Amino acid sequence: MTRDNDLALPRGDRASLAGSRATASSLFQTELLGKAMLESLRKLDPRQQLRNPVMFVVELGSLLTTALYILVCTGYVKESTPWFVLSISIWLWFTVIFSNFAEAMAEGRGKAQAASLRQARKDVAARKVLDNGAAAETGVVGCARFQTVEVSSSALAKGDVVLVEAGHVIPCDGEVVEGMASVDESAITGESAPVIRESGGDRSAVTGGTRVLSDWLLIKITSSPGETFLDRMISMVEGAKRQKTPNEIALNILLTTLTLVFLLVTFTLYPFSVFSVKLAQGGLSGAGAQPITLTVLVALLVCLIPTTIGGLLSAIGIAGMDRLIKANVIAMSGRAVEAAGDVDMLLLDKTGTITLGNRQAAAFLPAPGVSAEQLADAAQLASLSDETPEGRSIVILAKQKFELRERNLQELSAHFVPFSAQTRMSGADLEGRSIRKGAFDAIERHVLSLGAVMPEKVKEDADAVARQGGTPLVVADAGRVLGVVQLKDIVKGGIKERFAELRAMGIKTVMITGDNPLTAAAIAAEAGVDDYLAEATPEDKLALIREAQSGGRLVAMTGDGTNDAPALAQADVAVAMNTGTQAAKEACNMVDLDSSPTKLIAIVEIGKQLLMTRGSLTTFSIANDIAKYFAIIPAAFASTYPVLDKLNVMGLASPESAVLSAVIFNALIILFLLPLALRGVPYRPVGASVLLRDNLLVYGVGGVLAPFIGIKLIDMLLVVFHLV
Amino acid sequence: MSSADYSSSLLQIAAYIVLLALLCMPLGRYMAAVYEGRFAPEGSVIYKFEGLLYKLCRVVPTREMNWSQYACAMLIFNALGMILVYLLQRAQNLLPFNPEALAAVPADLAFNTAVSFASNTNWQNYGGETTLSYGTQMLALTVQNFLSASTGMAVLVAFIRAFVRQDVQDGYLGNFFVDLCRSVIYILLPLSLALAVFLVGQGCPQTLASYAVYEPLETAALSSGAADGKNQSVESAKVKLALGPVASQVAIKQLGTNGGGFYNVNSSHPLENPTPLSNLVQLLAILLIPAGLCHTFGVMVAQPRQGHVLLLSMTAIFVVALGTCFWAENSGSWQNPAWNLIDGNGLALPANMEGKEVRFGVVNSVLWAVATTAASNGSVNSMHDSMSALGGLVPMFLMQLGEVVFGGVGCGLYGMLVFALITVFIAGLMVGRTPEYLGKKIESFEMKMCSLVILIPPLVVLLGTALAVSLPVGQGAVFNTGPHAFSEILYAFSSAGNNNGSAFGGLSGNSPFYNFSLGTAMFLARYWLAVPVLALAGALVGKKRVPAGNGTMPTDTPLFAALLVGVVLVFGGLTFVPALSLGPVVEHLLMVNSR
């Protein structure tokens, strides 16, 4: 299987890096902006607002103040000046609209992506094979032997078999039952290079909406129209089916509780105020005492309830999904994204994730009486026609070490002996030499059959290589054993640092390999993983996951093969490769369109970022309230107790300007924090304590201080422009 | 106050805190041993006695209860207790141990008192020596003092087990009656016995004899009716000195954070709190068990540091509150010139001595006021109503925090643990993990229950106050004018709505309106909290414990303690700042302004 295994930097990172850069530039694209503005007005519909209790209360407050404004203008109610009531009302409406705008912006970006996906989903003509391809043994070779009938793709059902030839679009998700073809999957993956799809093995799954570029495929449909991968992807991207995730629900409960508490605080403040007026009138200073006005009460309520996080909460969730999509991962549920942030154990396949896809020659260990150069020369000759990566690496190593140039086998009139399952050797015959390379026992059998013996040193060398985690390849020229070529796994560059980061994040890494324990231990040590599972069978993987989960751990893994499916289904976060089989894809809760094995790490970071953004903005929102009290309380009771002006530490110009500034700040902060909500609070792989301390400083202490400055500035502007 | 007085005051405060810290640690460990069954293992001699009680009451000690069974047992047990206290008061004129032949208690007052003592509030709308017979004091009040305290401890123990156990499929939390029984016989009874004997030694009465009658030395000085010139009859000039089983009730009133005194004026009465030493020991008894339970928690969850952090958070708020109150009561001269009292030697006393016992002075009055409101004790040795505006704000605010700074025995710690869960929830998100406390994940059901716990006390306090200030019956009960009148009503509901029971004073609470509204407040505050706490325990006990790792937010660090303090203060502050600013805050500003 070909994987992009030659990359030093895990591919997922590049994708997410590119994604975040794209985010920054596309954040305020004018087209998106216009649509979002329109959408934010449409979302004023109370039925939509009801989903978000915090903003629903704000909308009720806006309606109430608007009604008050009309009543004040018509003279039915006497309280504040009409201009003041109007200003408060307008800014309360803005608070709701800004929150709607945040959500619309987050949704808008997904919608644009969904639109392009939808193009691929168009109804296409499909060629349904009659009798499921079993008939028509007419002797005609190729796809022409099938009898087909043209139907619409929407008329296909599970189990139907269709024929797709070059240039045609695959009508529905399915599994290749016959044929091999190159397929353009760029509609889904964004990757322009075609991929090979063939029957059997791990590359048999095809996705509806992708296009066959060459040859033909006989495909058995595995999902009904409307339930295809593409359909699911569109609904996820659009957020149409977006359900609140468990943590989002829990946070919403806390926010609703705070809203209730502040409703209670403001609701009871009116009788307190009326009573205080009565008390003050009994005293000296209470001549002009008036109870708190309804406008100020509503303003106070809106300032106190957590509108900042309430307004941005759904935008944060959608943006988190969006970031995942930017990283070319499709999550089947928001729950999985959250769980990714909690993962504390990663199961990683050795091959492709930790090591480069194949083993490479690392050293020549000659037998007694043979020079290393002789061994290298023979090994290179034996490998010249060997196109396997192992063979290529021997040629290259010989060239690097002994300047041995590649020679043309034809010029040498050599005869290449390919690998066969019987001999389990390969090599070349030339100029009377008969060079063979193969596993130790295969060569041993070969030389013994020629009446020669295996030197003791070669045996020792071979054992030593195996012990260090490599694969010994023994080279012999006829009956003469020349020595051992050490093949070893090459650990990807930078992967060790990555694991160190994961460890700092509190995530345990476990390497899964089919290798023997010796080999596995050596690679595990070199790569710096915490643990390994050697000679892993699907049952072993499942048992490992179950054991970890019973200890309370959350396990994430990637997989592509059908035999990974049970383990994938058991894992809390299961990422399937898009190149993987249908069974793997169905067992997972995320699909990586890049099929990059290291993507898991990026997914974990995105999950953490999502939670952190929620937590940080909640802290910020609550911390803001302190300053708002200092602005509003003295203003609200200015006529009852003028002495409370001592609490006006910001020196706000007048009671009206104080209340209005607080309300304006409260509305604007939503817009101000929108980019952060969409981008997410950056995650750094440091321990939880450090992260908590730093975020607490920025969002907690910052949340206390920022509104003091912001409200004061707005107040100054209001005074300068004579708005109060 | 001279600098020598200052240093002596600070020394007393420091000595108090050090003594408390030294005493609560071994007690906490002992209590853990009691609840874990290590102290009286089955088959031991002590257990035989305990087992006898179970046999007598037909309790199967090994039968565990899930949260709803536990809650039902708790509610029914408390309801029966409440009814018994009510009936005993209503029928006290017919019952023995009533040497003063006191009449039956009126229905509304009896209801208020029954709820008050069952809910561990011990708000006193009655005057002990003038309303209740010895029989009622002993059988109704003293018994309830033990039972309400042990109810709180039992609920706490069930809640702690939710963290100790994991993955319990049936949600078993323990047996309510066993936890209750062990709290009484191994913890409250021995400690109370020791304290009562000590108090008798200091001069507290402990008798069933009727009130003593004395002939005063100077008749005229005591008879207010002498002004009309007529000779007072010898009979009316005699002074009655109320006696009774005082020491036994005072001991448990302090240890069980009950606070309901034998006498109306509580621990400022010379017979209830005779000496400076009795004052210190009673002060220690107020916070001893609540502080010790933090250690119990740490031992039971096998992470002592977790308990230390909670204790540290409580102590931090306590010390700051104490400092503020002490400062406010001592800086009287700049606050109010009227406080510039002159002592016998012509020296100025800038401290606020109004409403304080001269025997105790400022420091011991302030220490008591802060301790009694930090814990939901509610006994007093000075009149909080007479404190300076800011000085009075401190005890009020400590109650409004939800009685989680030490708080009542059991209920204080479970309240604080709920705040810890909320802290973990917010802070846990900030480190990018769905939150967990002691390895238990905090999800939406847990947040729902936590929300109820933090929502109900403000609901009760604010709505109750709003009702009282809106109705003429509520307004008419206050003695003062100006913002202080508002403070008096707010304080009463803050006290009842958080099961503290201390009175600000200045409010005639014994009226049908206040008896009923405060009684309801006490009832809701106690049982509306205990039930969601048990439901929370039921949910948590079924969860697996996630092993702690690098990515887990540590909850046993000073940073977490600071965060917890912040959440408690911010939540209480945001809820009560508007109300407080119309009461003590504006009172203070007006006073400073008028100078």
Side-chain angles (χ1 to χ4, degrees):
Chain A
M1 191 186 304
T2 49
R3 279 174 179 163
D4 45 351
N5 47 26
D6 51 342
L7 296 168
L9 186 68
R11 178 131 178 213
D13 300 43
R14 292 195 313 165
S16 64
L17 282 177
S20 61
R21 221 176 296 125
T23 312
S25 61
S26 70
L27 204 53
F28 289 109
Q29 281 171 357
T30 37
E31 193 193 349
L32 265 177
L33 215 64
K35 276 189 184 160
M37 280 179 183
L38 209 69
E39 191 62 23
S40 56
L41 291 178
R42 200 173 299 143
K43 280 172 185 280
L44 284 175
D45 182 345
R47 281 166 300 179
Q48 286 214 32
Q49 290 296 322
L50 211 52
R51 288 181 41 175
N52 182 344
V54 180
M55 293 321 288
F56 182 68
V57 168
V58 181
E59 184 161 284
L60 285 184
S62 319
L63 281 171
L64 190 64
T65 46
T66 310
L68 259 178
Y69 171 65
I70 297 166
L71 289 175
V72 168
C73 280
T74 49
Y76 280 110
V77 172
K78 284 217 188 317
E79 56 152 45
S80 318
T81 59
W83 170 244
F84 176 66
V85 183
L86 181 67
S87 313
I88 295 286
S89 174
I90 288 173
W91 279 101
L92 292 189
W93 281 114
F94 271 135
T95 314
V96 186
I97 290 170
F98 289 164
S99 150
N100 290 346
F101 177 73
E103 194 180 80
M105 276 299 285
E107 282 174 351
R109 298 197 294 166
K111 276 194 177 140
Q113 208 162 354
S116 72
L117 284 173
R118 208 171 259 127
Q119 299 220 307
R121 205 185 53 171
K122 282 180 308 208
D123 232 14
V124 292
R127 289 172 63 193
K128 188 174 159 187
V129 177
L130 295 172
D131 300 328
N132 285 353
E137 282 294 329
T138 55
V140 185
V141 188
C143 61
R145 66 192 150 101
F146 301 111
Q147 289 186 341
T148 59
V149 59
E150 195 126 317
V151 294
S152 163
S153 63
S154 57
L156 289 172
K158 233 186 225 181
D160 285 347
V161 175
V162 294
L163 176 70
V164 186
E165 284 183 282
H168 287 269
V169 172
I170 296 173
C172 210
D173 291 1
E175 194 147 1
V176 179
V177 287
E178 201 176 328
M180 177 175 167
S182 60
V183 179
D184 170 18
E185 295 195 336
S186 61
I188 292 172
T189 61
E191 193 72 38
S192 55
V195 293
I196 301 296
R197 291 285 175 253
E198 61 187 344
S199 61
D202 287 349
R203 286 189 290 180
S204 62
V206 286
T207 311
T210 56
R211 184 180 295 273
V212 174
L213 292 179
S214 69
D215 306 289
W216 56 271
L217 292 173
L218 203 58
I219 297 161
K220 188 173 184 179
I221 304 299
T222 52
S223 61
S224 314
E227 291 166 18
T228 62
F229 182 65
L230 201 59
D231 289 309
R232 278 190 288 170
M233 198 162 145
I234 290 168
S235 68
M236 284 314 295
V237 171
E238 266 189 326
K241 274 198 189 159
R242 208 181 82 83
Q243 284 173 330
K244 283 188 183 143
T245 54
N247 173 262
E248 203 178 344
I249 293 171
L251 181 56
N252 239 319
I253 291 168
L254 181 69
L255 298 182
T256 308
T257 307
L258 287 173
T259 307
L260 281 175
V261 167
F262 289 127
L263 261 172
L264 194 69
V265 168
T266 41
F267 175 73
T268 54
L269 199 52
Y270 187 74
F272 293 175
S273 169
V274 171
F275 184 59
S276 295
V277 167
K278 209 170 185 181
L279 294 171
Q281 277 165 348
L284 298 167
S285 59
Q290 288 292 327
I292 187 167
T293 63
L294 204 52
T295 314
V296 174
L297 265 185
V298 173
L300 179 63
L301 173 65
V302 171
C303 284
L304 292 180
I305 62 176
T307 47
T308 313
I309 178 68
L312 292 171
L313 190 57
S314 67
I316 293 170
I318 299 168
M321 288 294 245
D322 201 51
R323 274 197 297 282
L324 209 58
I325 291 163
K326 287 256 155 61
N328 259 343
V329 175
I330 302 294
M332 299 300 161
S333 72
R335 193 182 282 260
V337 188
E338 250 171 31
D342 279 355
V343 159
D344 38 23
M345 188 164 149
L346 288 188
L347 301 191
L348 299 166
D349 265 328
K350 183 200 78 179
T351 311
T353 310
I354 295 168
T355 62
L356 297 178
N358 300 288
R359 301 182 153 207
Q360 297 192 353
F364 296 109
L365 309 166
V370 182
S371 74
E373 192 167 355
Q374 278 175 314
L375 170 64
D377 178 59
Q380 193 187 42
L381 282 172
S383 307
L384 282 177
S385 280
D386 184 355
E387 286 302 323
T388 63
E390 286 88 353
R392 300 303 311 156
S393 75
I394 293 176
V395 173
I396 290 165
L397 186 72
K399 192 159 92 184
Q400 282 172 348
K401 286 217 161 160
F402 303 106
E403 303 266 327
L404 294 172
R405 302 226 153 253
E406 285 186 45
R407 287 149 289 185
N408 193 318
L409 279 182
Q410 258 92 50
E411 280 172 25
L412 298 166
S413 65
H415 167 64
F416 176 61
V417 181
F419 180 86
S420 82
Q422 283 84 40
T423 61
R424 292 173 48 232
M425 296 183 298
S426 66
D429 291 332
L430 72 159
E431 296 165 356
R433 296 171 76 180
S434 170
I435 306 170
R436 295 287 181 277
K437 66 178 193 329
F440 178 81
D441 52 342
I443 297 292
E444 188 175 37
R445 201 157 7 91
H446 173 66
V447 294
L448 288 177
S449 71
L450 295 174
V453 287
M454 176 64 79
E456 201 53 35
K457 177 174 183 287
V458 173
K459 186 172 165 47
E460 279 164 19
D461 281 347
D463 282 347
V465 167
R467 255 201 313 283
Q468 289 157 21
T471 305
L473 209 58
V474 184
V475 182
D477 186 351
R480 185 181 175 217
V481 177
L482 298 173
V484 176
V485 180
Q486 182 193 11
L487 293 180
K488 78 185 244 201
D489 276 310
I490 304 298
V491 171
K492 281 187 179 178
I495 201 87
K496 193 165 186 167
E497 289 70 29
R498 211 79 173 106
F499 289 143
E501 282 180 7
L502 284 170
R503 199 166 304 118
M505 285 157 73
I507 296 172
K508 185 180 170 184
T509 45
V510 179
M511 182 181 85
I512 305 285
T513 172
D515 293 342
N516 64 56
L518 279 180
T519 314
I523 297 166
E526 192 181 340
V529 292
D530 298 315
D531 206 349
Y532 62 87
L533 183 67
E535 289 169 352
T537 62
E539 293 76 39
D540 290 343
K541 288 192 208 175
L542 194 60
L544 178 71
I545 295 175
R546 287 216 172 113
E547 192 199 323
Q549 285 173 333
S550 70
R553 287 182 181 275
L554 248 72
V555 182
M557 74 169 281
T558 49
D560 51 7
T562 301
N563 61 7
D564 285 331
L568 280 172
Q570 183 70 32
D572 300 283
V573 175
V575 184
M577 305 287 167
N578 193 42
T579 54
T581 61
Q582 195 68 28
K585 278 197 203 169
E586 262 161 27
C588 72
N589 45 24
M590 287 188 204
V591 176
D592 176 19
L593 300 175
D594 292 338
S595 301
S596 153
T598 39
K599 189 61 75 62
L600 209 45
I601 298 168
I603 292 172
V604 169
E605 287 190 356
I606 289 171
K608 285 201 179 289
Q609 221 179 8
L610 177 70
L611 296 175
M612 276 170 54
T613 311
R614 274 190 205 141
S616 302
L617 290 184
T618 305
T619 309
F620 187 86
S621 193
I622 296 172
N624 271 199
D625 282 1
I626 296 169
K628 291 174 192 163
Y629 266 138
F630 276 101
I632 297 185
I633 292 290
F637 304 112
S639 72
T640 318
Y641 295 123
V643 69
L644 277 175
D645 196 51
K646 292 213 164 162
L647 296 182
N648 179 7
V649 288
M650 285 173 270
L652 304 178
S654 70
E656 282 82 15
S657 79
V659 176
L660 192 57
S661 306
V663 170
I664 294 175
F665 175 83
N666 194 51
L668 288 180
I669 196 75
I670 295 179
L671 276 193
F672 211 72
L673 292 176
L674 176 58
L676 181 69
L678 294 184
R679 207 177 336 116
V681 171
Y683 179 78
R684 288 169 306 127
V686 289
S689 320
V690 180
L691 214 53
L692 176 64
R693 190 196 59 206
D694 294 355
N695 283 337
L696 211 54
L697 269 179
V698 175
Y699 300 98
V701 179
V704 172
L705 297 178
F708 279 103
I709 300 163
I711 292 174
K712 177 68 187 169
L713 282 177
I714 294 169
D715 181 74
M716 284 159 74
L717 285 176
L718 287 178
V719 171
V720 168
F721 291 108
H722 297 287
L723 286 170
V724 282
Chain B
M1 201 181 251
S2 71
S3 61
D5 285 345
Y6 259 124
S7 41
S8 127
S9 297
L10 294 179
L11 202 66
Q12 288 183 62
I13 291 174
Y16 174 69
I17 292 173
V18 169
L19 272 174
L20 184 67
L22 288 179
L23 289 172
C24 72
M25 171 97 87
L27 177 68
R29 290 188 180 156
Y30 165 73
M31 289 192 286
V34 166
Y35 291 122
E36 286 175 344
R38 285 184 281 124
F39 178 71
E42 243 171 293
S44 65
V45 185
I46 327 172
Y47 184 81
K48 289 217 172 94
F49 168 68
E50 191 188 329
L52 208 66
L53 287 175
Y54 297 141
K55 219 170 267 173
L56 212 67
C57 306
R58 299 200 171 181
V59 169
V60 183
T62 47
R63 188 185 292 159
E64 297 236 330
M65 301 173 175
N66 63 25
W67 83 263
S68 48
Q69 293 164 332
Y70 205 98
C72 279
M74 185 271 288
L75 287 175
I76 293 170
F77 183 79
N78 274 262
L80 291 177
M82 221 177 281
I83 292 168
L84 190 70
V85 173
Y86 179 81
L87 293 179
L88 282 170
Q89 291 178 86
R90 298 287 287 149
Q92 72 171 2
N93 51 336
L94 311 171
L95 295 171
F97 300 113
N98 188 2
E100 296 303 309
L102 291 165
V105 182
D108 59 328
L109 182 58
F111 160 76
N112 185 287
T113 309
V115 175
S116 174
F117 276 75
S119 63
N120 196 252
T121 313
N122 298 28
W123 173 270
Q124 290 171 277
N125 268 353
Y126 64 91
E129 63 272 41
T130 54
T131 321
L132 300 179
S133 71
Y134 291 173
T136 310
Q137 293 261 24
M138 288 189 301
L139 286 174
L141 304 194
T142 308
V143 169
Q144 267 309 317
N145 277 351
F146 279 97
L147 297 183
S148 67
S150 50
T151 297
M153 292 161 90
V155 173
L156 172 70
V157 171
F159 192 46
I160 295 176
R161 289 204 188 103
F163 296 103
V164 176
R165 300 176 176 182
Q166 63 165 334
D167 216 1
V168 179
Q169 290 309 315
D170 303 307
Y172 286 144
L173 292 166
N175 184 311
F176 171 73
F177 297 108
V178 172
D179 293 333
L180 184 89
C181 206
R182 289 188 173 161
S183 307
V184 174
I185 61 178
Y186 298 132
I187 299 164
L188 295 173
L189 267 179
L191 281 174
S192 300
L193 189 67
L195 183 57
V197 169
F198 169 80
L199 287 173
V200 169
Q202 292 297 303
C204 273
Q206 179 72 20
T207 173
L208 290 175
S210 54
Y211 294 172
V213 180
Y214 292 100
E215 194 106 18
L217 293 172
E218 288 178 61
T219 331
L222 280 156
S223 60
S224 54
D228 61 7
K230 284 180 193 162
N231 281 339
Q232 292 281 301
S233 72
V234 179
E235 193 59 34
S236 69
K238 281 182 179 167
V239 173
K240 264 192 182 174
L241 183 62
L243 299 174
V246 179
S248 59
Q249 189 176 330
V250 171
I252 183 63
K253 115 181 166 184
Q254 302 298 54
L255 286 164
T257 57
N258 295 288
F262 191 90
Y263 295 106
N264 192 22
V265 291
N266 214 302
S267 283
S268 52
H269 196 291
L271 293 185
E272 191 151 340
N273 188 7
T275 65
L277 188 59
S278 78
N279 192 66
L280 173 68
V281 174
Q282 286 194 34
L283 259 175
L284 285 170
I286 290 176
L287 292 184
L288 183 62
I289 295 180
L293 283 170
C294 293
H295 291 295
T296 309
F297 170 73
V299 173
M300 284 181 78
V301 300
Q303 296 180 53
R305 277 176 61 102
Q306 300 283 357
H308 298 169
V309 159
L310 294 177
L311 189 59
L312 181 68
S313 313
M314 292 177 176
T315 312
I317 300 179
F318 178 78
V319 167
V320 171
L322 189 61
T324 312
C325 196
F326 183 68
W327 166 81
E329 292 306 291
N330 264 318
S331 50
S333 56
W334 68 265
Q335 291 190 47
N336 190 346
W339 290 346
N340 267 332
L341 303 176
I342 307 294
D343 73 359
N345 302 321
L347 292 170
L349 292 169
N352 172 17
M353 277 302 290
E354 186 193 311
K356 292 185 179 63
E357 274 284 287
V358 184
R359 297 183 292 142
F360 303 133
V362 171
V363 66
N364 276 300
S365 302
V366 165
L367 197 50
W368 191 295
V370 173
T372 196
T373 48
S376 83
N377 186 292
S379 63
V380 292
N381 76 348
S382 66
M383 294 302 118
H384 296 181
D385 195 25
S386 297
M387 292 174 112
S388 64
L390 291 183
L393 182 145
V394 171
M396 203 181 326
F397 190 56
L398 278 171
M399 295 188 293
Q400 288 163 346
L401 291 180
E403 286 299 357
V404 294
V405 183
F406 297 107
V409 288
C411 52
L413 186 55
Y414 66 64
M416 194 58 155
L417 283 170
V418 166
F419 270 105
L421 294 188
I422 290 171
T423 308
V424 155
F425 185 81
I426 298 173
L429 284 182
M430 272 196 284
V431 301
R433 255 172 97 93
T434 57
E436 63 212 26
Y437 185 64
L438 297 175
K440 301 272 182 153
K441 285 230 179 283
I442 311 302
E443 290 164 303
S444 47
F445 181 79
E446 289 77 31
M447 277 324 279
K448 251 181 228 165
M449 294 304 115
C450 289
S451 294
L452 279 180
V453 173
I454 59 167
L455 182 61
I456 288 162
L459 183 92
V460 171
V461 173
L462 288 174
L463 281 185
T465 311
L467 193 68
V469 300
S470 305
L471 297 175
V473 279
Q475 297 172 357
V478 289
F479 299 160
N480 291 67
T481 56
H484 197 72
F486 180 68
S487 300
E488 285 166 346
I489 298 177
L490 182 64
Y491 191 103
F493 280 95
S494 300
S495 175
N498 288 291
N499 296 127
N500 179 280
S502 74
F504 207 38
L507 180 78
S508 52
N510 187 9
S511 68
F513 169 75
Y514 278 105
N515 276 334
F516 185 72
S517 59
L518 292 173
T520 312
M522 292 184 278
F523 185 82
L524 296 179
R526 175 73 165 188
Y527 301 106
W528 267 15
L529 293 201
V531 173
V533 164
L534 284 172
L536 189 58
L540 289 172
V541 81
K543 291 192 174 194
K544 280 179 198 149
R545 243 197 323 263
V546 182
N550 254 344
T552 320
M553 193 190 66
T555 53
D556 57 354
T557 58
L559 179 67
F560 182 77
L563 202 58
L564 181 58
V565 167
V567 168
V568 169
L569 290 181
V570 164
F571 189 81
L574 291 181
T575 312
F576 288 103
V577 157
L580 288 173
S581 61
L582 288 176
V585 172
V586 80
E587 188 187 344
H588 173 77
L589 292 175
L590 284 172
M591 190 171 66
V592 174
N593 227 32
S594 68
R595 193 159 55 102

